[in-house]
Amino acid sequence: MKRLVWMGIGVAIGVIAFRKVTEAQSALSPEGLNRAVGRLADGVYDFADAVRAGMSERETDLRAALGVESQDLVRR
């Protein structure tokens, strides 16, 4: 009976190890790296959009506080 329990534990550890190795291989494949870089790029773009929105909101608040009319300024 003891041998059966240890064999079951060994099989479970083997299956878990095999799944982890397979996950690591797929993450390091070209497709996996492409997905990771894509997620990183999406995160950077989302952060930049949030910063731009915050800057615009703050600029509107400052213009209102200073009594400056909101004009579209041409940037050179």
Side-chain angles (χ1 to χ4, degrees):
M1 185 69 173
K2 245 182 173 180
R3 287 183 182 177
L4 187 59
V5 170
W6 285 111
M7 189 169 98
I9 291 171
V11 168
I13 290 172
V15 168
I16 292 170
F18 179 76
R19 285 187 177 179
K20 291 292 182 180
V21 167
T22 304
E23 277 181 25
Q25 283 178 340
S26 71
L28 295 176
S29 70
E31 294 85 15
L33 291 174
N34 192 20
R35 281 192 303 270
V37 169
R39 284 192 303 257
L40 178 65
D42 289 344
V44 169
Y45 289 133
D46 291 344
F47 176 73
D49 288 341
V51 169
R52 279 190 219 105
M55 286 173 38
S56 177
E57 183 180 333
R58 182 65 179 149
E59 182 179 3
T60 302
D61 292 345
L62 289 172
R63 286 184 178 275
L66 294 173
V68 178
E69 289 189 26
S70 179
Q71 299 176 10
D72 291 336
L73 300 175
V74 178
R75 297 180 193 249
R76 297 180 191 189

